[in-house]
Amino acid sequence: MHPFTYTRATDTDTALKGLSGGPAAKLLGGGTNLIDLMKMGVETPSRLVDITRLDLAKVEELPDGKGVRIGALVRNSDLAEHPLIVERYPVLSQALLAGASPQLRNMATTGGNLLQRTRCYYFYDPAFTQCNKRVPGSGCGAVGGYNRIHAILGQSEACIATHPSDMCVAMAALDAVVRVQGPKGEREIPFAEFHRLPGEHPEHETNLQPDEIITAVDLPAAPWAKTSHYLKVRDRASYAFALVSVAAALEVVDGKIKTARVALGGVAHKPWRSKEAEETLVGEQPGEAIFKTAAGAALKHAKGYKYNEFKIELAKRSVVRALTNVTAA
Amino acid sequence: MTTTEYLGKPTSRVDGPAKVTGEAKYAAEFNVPNLAYGYIVSSGVTRGTIKSINAAEVEKIPGVLKVLTHENAPKTASLDRSHRDQLASTHGSPFRPLYQAELQHSLQPVALVVAETFEAARYAASLVQVEYEIAPHETDLHGSRAKAHPPKDSRTGYVPPPKKPRGTPEEAFEKAPFKVEAEYYQPAEHHNPMENFASTCVYGEDGKLTIYQKTQGVQNCQEYICSVFGLSKDEVQVISPFMGGGFGAGLRPTHELYLSVLAATALKRSVRVSMTRQQMFSFSHRPETIQDFKLAATPDGLLDSVTHTAIQESSRYEEFLETVVNWSGLVYTCPNVRLDHQLVYLDLASPADMRAPGAVTGLYGFECAIDELAYQAKLDPLAFRLKNYSEKDQNLDKLYSSKELREAYRQASEKFGWDQRPLDPRSTRRGSDLIGWGMATGCWEAMQGKAAAKAVLTPDGKLVVSSATSDIGTGTYTVMTMIAAEFSGVPIENVSFELGDSSMVYSPVEGGSWTVSSVGSAVKTVCEELKARLFKLAGKMDGAPLGDAKVEDVTFDQGEMRVTKNPVRNVTYAEALQANGLDKLELDTTELPQLVKQMTHGVYSHSAVFVEVAVDEDLGTIHVTRVVSAIAGGRILNPKTARSQIMGAIVWGISMALEEESMLDHQFGRFMNHNYAEYHVPVNADIHDIEVIFVPEHDDVVNPLGAKGLGEIGIVGVAAAVTNAVWHATGKRVRSLPVTLDKLL
């Protein structure tokens, strides 16, 4: 590990001050991903600002029934079991519990989860000389390499890595809003705009600025979210990243779908919300036929590589299964 | 006669409390004053030449003592012969760390940074820059299979396939009504024990080395270090009391041992070198293997032709040899058999023995192909196997020393409910899952090697038995204690067994399920000799406490000798020692295998494995919901640890079937998933019901204990049974491991 200084921020302002020195500073939350990457030599911050003492670990109801606010330091395990989440946003609770292991969930924070980095082998091991995300301009080892776990939607030739989070897939479906604070004050970033597609610059993964800190994630009121479900398909029953995952919600009124949400994980550089699938579903009678059409719409522009072609069909079937599970619930 | 009976009774691990309290010390936990730390720098390149290393620059970093590279490392023995350990191939050039500028495989050590602290060594290692001239490499077995050739070398434990085919396999295949022609594939797999390899080399004031080493063979390591560094045996002691899993990875001396000794002797200071998890992928793996089968059966379902060719990777610098194809010539009766084993040299580290080496690979493919043939013949897979049951080892033309496989089939299939199995695939559903049942046969050679044991009895009635073997987590401490108690007549609470020290009496490496057979037999013999000596001592005592009784008239029990028919005539072991003025009674013995008996027999353990899987029809996810495995493994000495061994092996078999794969990127010639997050082994949620049955089996050929040894046999056949069950569920024959969901979509 490269030497780094460690400071502990006492409030958001001191945290921001700690960040102000430039990109060599990193915020330390649960450390479940950052410390790993530091040990691998992928991340080499010269300053760590520990923010775990900040007063950002609360889950609270927003006034006027506007939804729920999740502090950036709420641990994944606490969030997964929180009554407000379990009752109102089951898809989020399920997604959290599908992620990692109990030990990791006890450490991992909400804000940190948003900033998780890809599990692409070519990113994780600096001996692989090609990775545009780790060394911009070096190329992509995965495009012509062993790309079984890689992206099928929204990727570029520069990068076919996927975003590894489960939590974020549910949040994408729930129209969450990320609250951030920077030197110029607070701002809100709609979830769909928080993570970026790789394009020419896969090293830029989010629209969070280097001098900003995530303070909370707001979940708007969503009565339809009570009938929601998270499906995770992976190579073993637990403690594995998703090959494909689906966050789905359906509100059915008078036999017709009034509201639909479909987001996919494990398929793209960001949690992949499929408006195409949702538009296909709204106004229709729920059932296998329309679910299949919606799945087809979601994967219409998918492109596979040598080893991950299977994900396209798997993703379609997973969308159908997740929607079926929602209706069965 | 001995009345105390410990053998066959479920006995908890004698080392359990030490392990759960943390008192048991592992190689990297032995601390000594003034210890320096070595950190290995691994190559990021597969083939080529090291042009330069900025070692001098890194040595300026505070805390760094030395950066060893091929340019400045002290010279060790020059001949390959001196680097060959007990398990090396006979003519190979074993890998030597920091020996030359030329690279042999990715992740190989290219420098060792030695520093005052581990952290300083690790940091400095991250600053080591190596410039390479890169050369092309070959790591793709499929791409290079045209270069396959028969092995040229030999190795301890390797049995080449019979040179000539039996009968006329091609003719028989042509005319047969039922045929299978199939290729099966198994990827490279790594051992991945929990404990990383580590070596703490303590440099004594007299220059003697005491090495705390993770290894399955302390004496193999001692001999290797003596030979490589030109030291005598009294200058090198290797100690390994506990091991956090070996699985074969620790049979041969590992990089960090060589490097810790290199650094300690160069600096004249104690040095510890431990591997990172990533570096655990830098040596020894189960070799990637392609297998071609041509099987045929007669109209009555008799196996009539077997052709089995294995194409297996080896490193370029030494041939790795394991017995892959021979099993296909002996598991069933078949008049026409051709077996062939070929190698492809690749630019990878030498493969190594890994749980049931060879058998687990060969019988994976063969038992799947047999399942295919049974279905061709429209026979139930178990009925087909019973019809072709082998009564003698046809490869060697010898009778079996014992073989209760038929009984294993019966008990396991009854427990499983196999008679309810529909013949056709895709016959059973449960919700969105397809249910399938599959089975397979396992086989492993039951071996015995030369081994010694030493016994020391003291006047307090305590017995210490020792041998330089290892307990790699299998329960060696416990079972040896039981054997010693059983045959010495000393109560078990007064017996202890010591191991894992090269200065102890001879033991072969701990592997191949032969430790109970080899070391256990020596323990039995030395304890029997102990009783004979005690009887003689009693005879010399005043007042002849045992009268004129002969040794066969005496019971040795509870630390006491007494005349069986007249128990008032008795004397304790302690009294016998005291009366003879002895402060201890010490003896050792070397036990040789029962070669004459063994050479006239085929000596094997067997298993019958039955598996149920549930496969999600849409998503392809597979759950192994039930396993029943019946083992015919001779006498079971400790049913408790034996069951644990077999359970662990079955879990590993499920792992092999569904999860394990060391992924290679051929652009870089490098293993990619070198960590526990991406190298998948089962988690608790993957494992459901497992039932283990031990079938009674009497065998007086294998060794004087009648125990065939356990561990290996538990994994053999499991991957085939799972794969066959997946076929029965889905109708899809997946002929490559692991059976991941993408192969079922």
Side-chain angles (χ1 to χ4, degrees):
Chain A
M1 261 203 243
H2 289 248
F4 55 86
T5 62
Y6 169 91
T7 53
R8 184 184 284 155
T10 47
D11 53 33
T12 312
D13 285 340
T14 51
L16 283 172
K17 211 171 150 211
L19 275 183
S20 63
K26 287 267 177 193
L27 300 180
L28 178 66
T32 55
N33 193 208
L34 178 63
I35 303 296
D36 244 18
L37 289 165
M38 287 168 70
K39 285 183 179 173
M40 295 298 291
V42 176
E43 295 268 21
T44 52
S46 56
R47 282 177 296 135
L48 278 190
V49 182
D50 184 341
I51 56 167
T52 51
R53 301 287 172 98
L54 268 55
D55 186 23
L56 296 172
K58 286 199 281 286
V59 178
E60 53 199 344
E61 233 177 316
L62 290 167
D64 309 324
K66 280 185 179 157
V68 172
R69 175 161 296 168
I70 303 160
L73 291 173
V74 175
R75 307 280 172 174
N76 283 180
S77 44
D78 292 335
L79 186 59
E81 306 291 355
H82 197 283
L84 283 174
I85 304 301
V86 173
E87 191 188 318
R88 298 188 195 173
Y89 309 98
V91 65
L92 178 57
S93 177
Q94 291 168 22
L96 284 159
L97 292 175
S101 64
Q103 294 90 333
L104 287 165
R105 294 196 292 269
N106 286 341
M107 291 299 291
T109 63
T110 304
N113 196 317
L114 286 166
L115 300 176
Q116 258 191 92
R117 307 204 69 188
T118 185
R119 299 302 301 197
C120 174
Y121 315 111
Y122 299 90
F123 170 74
Y124 236 82
D125 180 354
F128 290 122
T129 49
Q130 291 185 316
C131 176
N132 287 321
K133 191 182 277 298
R134 186 165 30 79
V135 184
S138 60
C140 173
V143 169
Y146 194 64
N147 43 36
R148 181 171 178 270
I149 62 170
H150 290 78
I152 52 171
L153 285 164
Q155 71 273 35
S156 68
E157 288 306 296
C159 182
I160 60 171
T162 60
H163 194 261
S165 169
D166 293 298
M167 182 195 86
C168 290
V169 182
M171 286 184 172
L174 293 170
D175 288 321
V177 174
V178 183
R179 298 180 65 84
V180 307
Q181 198 174 326
K184 292 174 205 155
E186 282 193 83
R187 70 180 180 117
E188 296 184 343
I189 309 175
F191 209 85
E193 290 165 27
F194 185 81
H195 297 98
R196 297 162 56 111
L197 288 177
E200 296 288 303
H201 290 286
E203 74 276 18
H204 294 145
E205 292 170 357
T206 69
N207 287 317
L208 184 74
Q209 296 306 305
D211 56 1
E212 289 179 320
I213 174 173
I214 300 167
T215 55
V217 176
D218 286 353
L219 299 180
W224 44 265
K226 279 196 174 183
T227 44
S228 62
H229 176 69
Y230 189 74
L231 173 75
K232 183 172 182 178
V233 185
R234 45 184 157 176
D235 281 323
R236 62 181 167 191
S238 178
Y239 192 51
F241 291 91
L243 290 167
V244 166
S245 69
V246 180
L250 286 177
E251 183 186 27
V252 182
V253 177
D254 299 333
K256 295 273 169 65
I257 297 168
K258 186 178 165 208
T259 312
R261 289 290 185 276
V262 176
L264 290 96
V267 295
H269 198 258
K270 61 185 282 186
W272 190 263
R273 175 86 175 263
S274 178
K275 296 269 186 190
E276 299 89 337
E278 293 171 8
E279 280 160 18
T280 307
L281 291 164
V282 170
E284 302 290 332
Q285 204 178 321
E288 196 184 345
I290 195 66
F291 293 165
K292 280 189 172 164
T293 311
L299 275 300
K300 193 175 169 204
H301 299 294
K303 180 191 170 208
Y305 294 83
K306 187 173 175 187
Y307 297 98
N308 73 346
E309 192 76 35
F310 76 95
K311 276 192 174 186
I312 299 175
E313 180 61 25
L314 181 64
K316 288 182 188 170
R317 296 183 187 189
S318 301
V319 168
V320 174
R321 175 65 62 82
L323 290 167
T324 308
N325 287 351
V326 173
T327 29
Chain B
M1 199 192 98
T2 302
T3 52
T4 317
E5 280 188 15
Y6 297 106
L7 299 184
K9 292 189 176 160
T11 305
S12 294
R13 286 170 191 270
V14 296
D15 51 337
K19 281 188 169 171
V20 297
T21 55
E23 214 170 274
K25 272 179 147 186
Y26 294 79
E29 297 178 328
F30 288 89
N31 290 323
V32 291
N34 204 27
L35 183 65
Y37 296 80
Y39 195 92
I40 302 170
V41 180
S42 306
S43 169
V45 169
T46 301
R47 280 305 294 269
T49 313
I50 300 170
K51 302 276 286 177
S52 69
I53 303 183
N54 63 340
E57 214 173 294
V58 174
E59 280 183 352
K60 290 179 197 150
I61 294 169
V64 174
L65 298 164
K66 187 81 191 163
V67 179
L68 288 166
T69 71
H70 67 283
E71 286 174 334
N72 64 5
K75 294 279 168 280
T76 55
S78 58
L79 297 176
D80 280 330
R81 191 178 64 207
S82 309
H83 292 257
R84 288 185 201 122
D85 67 287
Q86 292 171 10
L87 291 169
S89 62
T90 314
H91 296 94
S93 306
F95 180 80
R96 308 181 194 184
L98 314 187
Y99 171 63
Q100 56 183 13
E102 198 194 332
L103 297 173
Q104 291 168 297
H105 61 85
S106 191
L107 272 169
Q108 77 170 60
V110 290
L112 183 78
V113 179
V114 190
E116 294 287 352
T117 65
F118 171 76
E119 288 75 16
R122 181 172 63 173
Y123 168 59
S126 76
L127 299 180
V128 171
Q129 284 176 2
V130 187
E131 253 187 89
Y132 302 100
E133 188 172 294
I134 297 174
H137 60 256
E138 273 180 288
T139 55
D140 181 358
L141 182 66
H142 287 283
S144 302
R145 72 182 288 179
K147 296 181 185 171
H149 57 80
K152 296 167 189 155
D153 211 343
S154 60
R155 191 173 82 101
T156 302
Y158 172 66
V159 185
K163 281 204 177 98
K164 286 185 184 162
R166 186 191 311 159
T168 52
E170 289 78 13
E171 264 175 51
F173 186 82
E174 283 314 313
K175 67 169 198 241
F178 304 123
K179 296 179 199 191
V180 169
E181 206 168 345
E183 180 174 302
Y184 278 83
Y185 169 77
Q186 174 226 287
E189 299 163 357
H190 279 81
H191 303 70
N192 275 304
M194 289 274 275
E195 181 200 7
N196 288 4
F197 274 88
S199 181
T200 304
C201 181
V202 179
Y203 192 86
E205 278 173 20
D206 48 3
K208 290 184 179 175
L209 306 179
T210 308
I211 308 168
Y212 299 95
Q213 173 66 29
K214 169 165 180 162
T215 179
Q216 293 173 246
V218 283
Q219 289 175 333
N220 190 27
C221 287
Q222 182 198 34
E223 281 172 22
Y224 168 80
I225 290 301
C226 288
S227 165
V228 166
F229 290 88
L231 298 166
S232 65
K233 281 193 178 177
D234 61 12
E235 293 173 300
V236 179
Q237 186 180 7
V238 180
I239 297 173
S240 180
F242 292 99
M243 199 179 181
F247 314 126
L251 287 169
R252 299 186 62 189
T254 35
H255 300 153
E256 88 294 348
L257 169 63
Y258 183 105
L259 291 169
S260 75
V261 176
L262 191 72
T265 50
L267 296 170
K268 301 198 184 312
R269 185 171 167 180
S270 300
V271 176
R272 172 179 302 150
V273 181
S274 43
M275 287 196 196
T276 63
R277 178 57 58 189
Q278 184 184 43
Q279 287 162 352
M280 296 288 284
F281 286 72
S282 68
F283 66 104
S284 42
H285 55 277
R286 193 193 293 289
E288 187 179 13
T289 310
I290 300 166
Q291 300 184 72
D292 284 319
F293 294 95
K294 282 174 84 173
L295 308 184
T298 66
D300 319 336
L302 291 175
L303 186 63
D304 201 31
S305 179
V306 170
T307 301
H308 180 180
T309 306
I311 300 171
Q312 196 161 48
E313 61 154 304
S314 171
S315 70
R316 234 176 257 290
Y317 48 89
E318 58 182 354
E319 286 195 340
F320 174 73
L321 297 163
E322 59 179 22
T323 308
V324 180
V325 293
N326 304 25
W327 314 98
S328 301
L330 70 89
V331 174
Y332 305 108
T333 298
C334 183
N336 304 297
V337 177
R338 181 189 294 278
L339 304 172
D340 191 14
H341 182 204
Q342 304 217 4
L343 297 180
V344 175
Y345 297 153
L346 296 177
D347 297 307
L348 295 169
S350 277
D353 291 324
M354 181 162 150
R355 184 62 68 89
V360 77
T361 300
L363 284 172
Y364 150 65
F366 183 63
E367 282 294 287
C368 287
I370 283 287
D371 199 71
E372 295 195 43
L373 188 63
Y375 189 66
Q376 288 266 326
K378 290 285 170 215
L379 281 168
D380 173 86
L382 174 58
F384 183 85
R385 284 167 171 85
L386 286 167
K387 213 175 171 77
N388 291 288
Y389 195 83
S390 140
E391 299 288 3
K392 71 172 186 182
D393 178 347
Q394 286 183 289
N395 284 345
L396 305 172
D397 195 26
K398 290 175 190 172
L399 290 173
Y400 294 114
S401 60
S402 61
K403 183 178 175 182
E404 295 297 338
L405 177 61
R406 204 176 258 120
E407 182 62 12
Y409 285 142
R410 190 187 67 76
Q411 289 194 26
S413 63
E414 276 182 24
K415 194 88 202 170
F416 190 87
W418 184 259
D419 60 347
Q420 299 299 309
R421 179 184 182 271
L423 186 65
D424 287 320
R426 298 185 69 84
S427 300
T428 313
R429 277 171 194 278
R430 196 188 295 149
S432 56
D433 286 340
L434 295 164
I435 307 299
W437 289 2
M439 55 92 49
T441 308
C443 185
W444 179 251
E445 195 177 1
M447 297 170 283
Q448 186 190 8
K450 175 184 150 185
K454 178 175 166 179
V456 179
L457 182 72
T458 42
D460 55 3
K462 301 219 190 273
L463 173 67
V464 178
V465 182
S466 61
S467 178
T469 183
S470 304
D471 188 336
I472 66 172
T474 48
T476 307
Y477 277 112
T478 311
V479 76
M480 296 303 166
T481 304
M482 292 166 69
I483 295 168
E486 178 85 21
F487 293 104
S488 67
V490 177
I492 197 162
E493 58 275 16
N494 287 343
V495 178
S496 57
F497 185 76
E498 293 176 349
L499 52 71
D501 185 333
S502 61
S503 66
M504 293 172 175
V505 295
Y506 174 78
S507 166
V509 293
E510 204 286 355
S513 295
W514 75 344
T515 299
V516 163
S517 175
S518 310
V519 180
S521 297
V523 170
K524 173 179 187 279
T525 302
V526 82
C527 289
E528 282 171 339
E529 287 174 4
L530 180 82
K531 285 189 294 193
R533 290 275 291 275
L534 284 164
F535 178 74
K536 278 187 187 162
L537 291 179
K540 289 186 202 161
M541 286 173 72
D542 291 342
L546 299 177
D548 56 359
K550 297 195 176 73
V551 69
E552 56 269 27
D553 302 329
V554 174
T555 298
F556 296 80
D557 184 11
Q558 296 300 316
E560 179 181 275
M561 294 169 267
R562 63 178 169 271
V563 178
T564 310
K565 289 184 176 161
N566 187 13
V568 292
R569 285 203 161 274
N570 62 63
V571 59
T572 67
Y573 294 180
E575 286 162 357
L577 259 65
Q578 283 153 8
N580 283 274
L582 295 173
D583 60 353
K584 64 179 174 183
L585 179 56
E586 177 176 324
L587 63 162
D588 64 73
T589 190
T590 299
E591 180 84 4
L592 297 171
Q594 311 189 103
L595 278 182
V596 179
K597 274 185 182 176
Q598 286 166 9
M599 279 171 69
T600 52
H601 290 87
V603 189
Y604 302 95
S605 49
H606 291 88
S607 66
V609 194
F610 294 79
V611 167
E612 177 184 270
V613 299
V615 183
D616 188 299
E617 189 177 12
D618 297 326
L619 306 178
T621 45
I622 304 166
H623 292 102
V624 176
T625 44
R626 224 151 46 90
V627 181
V628 179
S629 178
I631 305 289
R635 186 176 181 194
I636 304 303
L637 302 186
N638 185 354
K640 190 169 185 179
T641 49
R643 181 171 172 274
S644 297
Q645 273 294 296
I646 300 301
M647 293 246 287
I650 290 168
V651 171
W652 198 351
I654 294 170
S655 184
M656 179 187 179
L658 303 181
E659 300 188 14
E660 281 189 62
E661 178 178 16
S662 297
M663 301 167 184
L664 264 169
D665 176 283
H666 297 306
Q667 306 167 103
F668 292 88
R670 184 175 174 88
F671 288 112
M672 310 166 71
N673 52 341
H674 38 56
N675 59 63
Y676 271 168
E678 324 293 347
Y679 185 96
H680 288 171
V681 297
V683 294
N684 287 340
D686 289 313
I687 302 303
H688 301 277
D689 287 355
I690 296 178
E691 184 144 359
V692 178
I693 299 166
F694 291 109
V695 175
E697 192 174 61
H698 177 78
D699 195 314
D700 54 14
V701 172
V702 60
N703 56 54
L705 289 165
K708 289 182 172 176
L710 293 171
E712 323 287 331
I713 188 60
I715 190 176
V716 186
V718 178
V722 172
T723 305
N724 294 339
V726 168
W727 168 78
H728 188 240
T730 64
K732 189 150 185 178
R733 290 281 180 197
V734 178
R735 297 190 182 89
S736 72
L737 293 180
V739 185
T740 46
L741 61 90
D742 46 308
K743 295 173 184 172
L744 290 172
L745 290 180

